[in-house]
Amino acid sequence: MTIHRAIETAHTLFLSGVTSDTRRPSPADIRAARQKLNSETLAQWSPSWRKSITSARKMIADHA
């Protein structure tokens, strides 16, 4: 899974808890996104990417 897809999965997971029109990602996608996000070293990313990765980590932790 790419970092882009992992962030997208986290956003979809968050939205699925807020709106009824968004379908929850599969458990396998959630696990893969969590693994990818947690394996990333933030120092290698620009500040805006760090913020996105950190936010996505929190979304997965709060809603999975």
Side-chain angles (χ1 to χ4, degrees), residues 5 7-26 59:
R5 180 75 177 119
I7 292 170
E8 181 181 291
T9 300
H11 284 254
T12 302
L13 177 62
F14 171 76
L15 288 174
S16 72
V18 178
T19 67
S20 59
D21 346 352
T22 305
R23 192 171 182 185
R24 184 178 172 91
S26 73
M59 283 183 237

Side-chain angles (χ1 to χ4, degrees), residues 1-3 6 31-42 44-45 53 57:
M1 176 175 285
T2 66
I3 193 66
R31 276 192 304 276
R34 179 185 289 127
Q35 182 178 8
K36 179 63 175 175
L37 291 165
N38 289 338
S39 70
E40 289 299 316
T41 304
L42 293 179
Q44 71 184 8
W45 296 96
I53 292 168
R57 285 177 177 170

